[in-house]
């Protein structure tokens, strides 16, 4: 939240041209992510035996994501409502020595909730795409390594990592830049002071962090369950 506020205060001093440049870089990064993902999928996905093992893993991962994000969505909506009520009931901020009006509790509650939901959505998209890419990259890395194409295997692994990492950064900066620009436009049509915009963007980081937190917790439990299950199956097969 502190980082988001600092980033937003810097944005207050930037011109529209700089913000457009930042958004353009983010869009170019997203296009590059799509390009890398397509290249990754075009690699050989292995033998029928590999596919027989990889398909259940992919189906299990996708089923887990559906259940996990269904639960996270419900939690996010509940937290969003609580956030709205908390900001709506708080005392309106007061500005000293300014001809601008302080933002009303209703506007602060609505805009903060919008930031919260946008952050949560983009965080969820990052997590889903990351899982989608990972389960497919793993199979192709194994297929390339099985053919002693270690350069290809390393390249596929790195591409999968770049897709996930670059997507998170691009969506984060693009989201906060779009929100900041939208709030600037909204505030420009009113007598409210733009000094409040950084405080409204705290909801963005909170939403993104909330979804990421629950995704990490759920993913850790899922991974541990999968490890224990595989260990038990292996021991049963060798009669241990």
């Amino acid at each position: 939240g502190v980082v988001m506020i600092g980033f937003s205060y810097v944005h207050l001093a930037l011109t529209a041209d700089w913000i457009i440049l930042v958004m353009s870089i983010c869009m170019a990064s997203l296009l590059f992510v799509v390009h890398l993902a397509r290249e990754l999928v075009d690699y050989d996905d292995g033998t029928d035996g590999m596919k027989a093992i990889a398909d259940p893993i992919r189906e299990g991962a996708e089923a887990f994501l559906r259940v996990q994000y269904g639960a996270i969505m419900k939690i996010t909506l509940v937290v969003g409502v609580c956030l709205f009520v908390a900001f709506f009931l708080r005392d309106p901020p007061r500005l000293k020595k300014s001809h601008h009006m302080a933002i009303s509790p209703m506007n602060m509650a609505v805009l903060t909730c919008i930031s919260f939901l946008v952050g949560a959505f983009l965080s969820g998209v990052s997590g889903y795409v990351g899982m989608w890419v990972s389960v497919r990259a793993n199979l192709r890395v194994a297929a390339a390594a099985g053919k002693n194409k270690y350069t290809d295997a390393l390249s596929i692994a790195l591409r999968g990592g770049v897709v996930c990492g670059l997507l998170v950064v691009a969506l984060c900066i693009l989201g906060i830049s779009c929100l900041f620009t939208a709030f600037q436009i909204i505030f420009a049509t009113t007598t409210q002071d733009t000094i409040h915009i950084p405080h409204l963007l705290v909801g963005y980081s909170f939403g993104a962090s909330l979804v990421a937190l629950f995704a990490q917790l759920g993913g850790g439990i899922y991974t541990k369950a999968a490890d224990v299950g595989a260990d038990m199956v292996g021991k049963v097969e060798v009669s241990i």
Side-chain angles (χ1 to χ4, degrees):
V2 175
V3 174
M4 291 296 182
I5 292 177
F7 180 78
S8 301
Y9 272 117
V10 172
H11 262 254
L12 285 171
L14 296 180
T15 63
D17 293 337
W18 280 104
I19 297 179
I20 292 174
L21 176 62
V22 171
M23 291 183 178
S24 301
I25 294 174
C26 291
M27 294 300 299
S29 300
L30 293 178
L31 291 176
F32 184 60
V33 165
V34 173
H35 171 71
L36 288 179
R38 286 182 175 179
E39 281 194 347
L40 188 148
V41 174
D42 288 338
Y43 279 96
D44 180 29
D45 55 357
T47 64
D48 292 337
M50 289 182 176
K51 295 177 184 178
I53 297 174
D55 287 343
I57 295 176
R58 176 181 53 79
E59 293 173 2
E62 292 175 352
F64 163 72
L65 284 179
R66 286 194 295 269
V67 175
Q68 182 189 42
Y69 278 111
I72 291 176
M73 181 181 66
K74 296 175 183 177
I75 296 173
T76 301
L77 292 177
V78 172
V79 174
V81 172
C82 295
L83 196 64
F84 176 86
V85 173
F87 275 92
F88 180 72
L89 296 179
R90 66 175 294 185
D91 293 332
R94 303 181 184 278
L95 295 178
K96 297 180 180 179
K97 299 180 181 180
S98 175
H99 64 279
H100 294 288
M101 292 175 55
I103 185 171
S104 66
M106 173 60 77
N107 289 342
M108 179 167 280
V110 171
L111 296 179
T112 301
C113 283
I114 291 175
S115 298
F116 172 79
L117 294 176
V118 171
F121 173 76
L122 294 180
S123 181
V125 170
S126 300
Y128 186 87
V129 174
M131 179 71 82
W132 189 91
V133 170
S134 296
V135 295
R136 287 161 176 78
N138 290 341
L139 173 60
R140 286 158 177 79
V141 169
K147 296 179 180 179
N148 295 329
K149 297 180 179 180
Y150 302 118
T151 302
D152 288 345
L154 180 60
S155 175
I156 296 170
L158 292 176
R159 287 172 186 270
V162 169
V163 167
C164 299
L166 192 58
L167 180 67
V168 171
V169 176
L171 287 180
C172 175
I173 298 177
L174 180 63
I176 196 172
S177 298
C178 290
L179 283 174
F180 182 85
T181 303
F183 290 168
Q184 268 195 326
I185 295 173
I186 293 172
F187 278 40
T189 60
T190 67
T191 57
Q192 296 173 353
D193 202 324
T194 55
I195 195 66
H196 293 294
I197 293 179
H199 301 287
L200 300 174
L201 294 177
V202 171
Y204 179 82
S205 61
F206 181 45
S209 300
L210 181 72
V211 172
L213 173 64
F214 281 102
Q216 287 177 340
L217 291 175
I221 295 172
Y222 176 80
T223 303
K224 181 57 66 177
D227 290 342
V228 173
D231 184 59
M232 292 178 64
V233 169
K235 290 179 178 179
V236 170
E237 289 182 345
V238 297
S239 300
I240 296 179

